[in-house]
Structure formats: C-alpha cells, structure tokens
Amino acid sequence: MSINYERVALSDLRTHPQREAALENLQARIAALKAQAEGLRAVSTDKVPVQGGASRSEERLIDNIVERQRLELNLRAVRPLVAIVRRGLDSLTEDERLVLERFAQDGRRGDRTADILAEELHMSRRSVYRLEEDALRKFTISCYGVREL
C-alpha cells in the first residue's frame, strides 16, 4: 500500500488554519487551568474523607491536573504539524502560496476559484491549474520529502 503524500498535503493545508487557532487556544486554556489550580484551596489534611472519598477541592485539583496533561499532549501533537506546514508554505512563492491556500479553502479545484485567481494573477485559468499542480508538488516535497511512497 502506497501513501499519496499530495493527498496528505492537501489535508494538512485544509486543516492548517484550525491547527494554528488550536495552538493559541490550547496555550490559553492551559494557562487558565494553571491559574485556576493556583486559586484552588490547599486540601486540609486534618479532615478524614467520608467513606474513603476525596474532598471536592481535591477532586477539582485532580480534574484540573488531568485536563492540563491532556491539553499539553494535544499541544505537543499539534505544534510540529503546524511547523511542518509553515515551513512548506515558506518554500513557496507568493503566487504559489496564494493558489494553494485558495484551492485548499475551496476544498476542490473549482472553476470559480480558478477564474478568480486567473483574474487576480493576470493569467489564464489553465496557467492557474498548472501553478497549483507545481505548488502542490513543491509543497509536498518540502513537507514530506517525497510525493508518493
């Protein structure tokens, strides 16, 4: 079974804006949870839990810690994916980047997108499609080293 990295590249381009937003949101949520944890009262050690259960403040603190750990794992997973796409986009010319981003947003090679780009870039629709193919190949190789495996 071979992997079509151009398909992977298109998927990464489509989800890139959401992953960029996730980076900021994950960091903000982790910071909020850290601040919240600092505000939780220290657990009183002179009380005996009823029937072996934890106190509410202990439970809140544990829930906070667990959520922070999960979000930090998510952040560690998303951060390199965003960096890969950023470096791939940085390898493109301004026109190549514009064409790839527009087609990725459109989700397909729509004629309307091609017409708009052709007008903006002062080229034929056929040239826009050729530019898109070249940009996708260049982006894929920059991100993954190969087009297919």
Side-chain angles (χ1 to χ4, degrees):
M1 184 171 127
S2 66
I3 297 173
N4 182 336
Y5 280 101
E6 284 188 358
R7 192 175 280 165
V8 173
L10 282 172
S11 175
D12 284 349
L13 280 167
R14 285 186 192 110
T15 58
H16 184 65
Q18 291 81 18
R19 285 183 178 150
E20 289 256 346
L23 276 182
E24 288 183 36
N25 292 331
L26 285 167
Q27 291 168 355
R29 179 69 179 153
I30 291 167
L33 286 168
K34 284 180 181 177
Q36 184 183 46
E38 291 172 8
L40 292 173
R41 288 188 305 162
V43 178
S44 176
T45 58
D46 61 348
K47 293 184 182 176
V48 177
V50 178
Q51 295 181 356
S55 70
R56 284 187 190 161
S57 59
E58 279 179 324
E59 288 175 1
R60 285 192 301 253
L61 186 59
I62 290 168
D63 289 346
N64 181 294
I65 292 167
V66 169
E67 185 177 357
R68 272 189 289 151
Q69 287 175 339
R70 287 182 178 164
L71 293 174
E72 286 168 355
L73 284 172
N74 291 348
L75 184 61
R76 284 197 299 259
V78 170
R79 192 176 276 138
L81 295 173
V82 168
I84 288 167
V85 173
R86 283 179 183 165
R87 285 190 301 269
L89 289 171
D90 287 345
S91 73
L92 304 175
T93 67
E94 190 176 318
D95 289 349
E96 289 169 334
R97 184 178 181 148
L98 174 68
V99 168
L100 265 191
E101 287 175 343
R102 290 276 182 84
F103 277 119
Q105 287 171 2
D106 189 33
R108 63 197 186 298
R109 292 179 61 172
D111 287 339
R112 184 71 183 131
T113 300
D115 288 338
I116 293 168
L117 284 166
E119 188 175 315
E120 284 180 32
L121 299 173
H122 309 290
M123 59 176 62
S124 69
R125 198 165 78 187
R126 183 176 178 174
S127 295
V128 168
Y129 285 127
R130 203 172 318 122
L131 181 62
E132 187 255 349
E133 287 175 18
D134 292 343
L136 180 58
R137 178 185 39 74
K138 189 174 171 182
F139 175 79
T140 303
I141 292 169
S142 292
C143 289
Y144 312 105
V146 294
R147 291 173 64 188
E148 288 187 30
L149 216 134

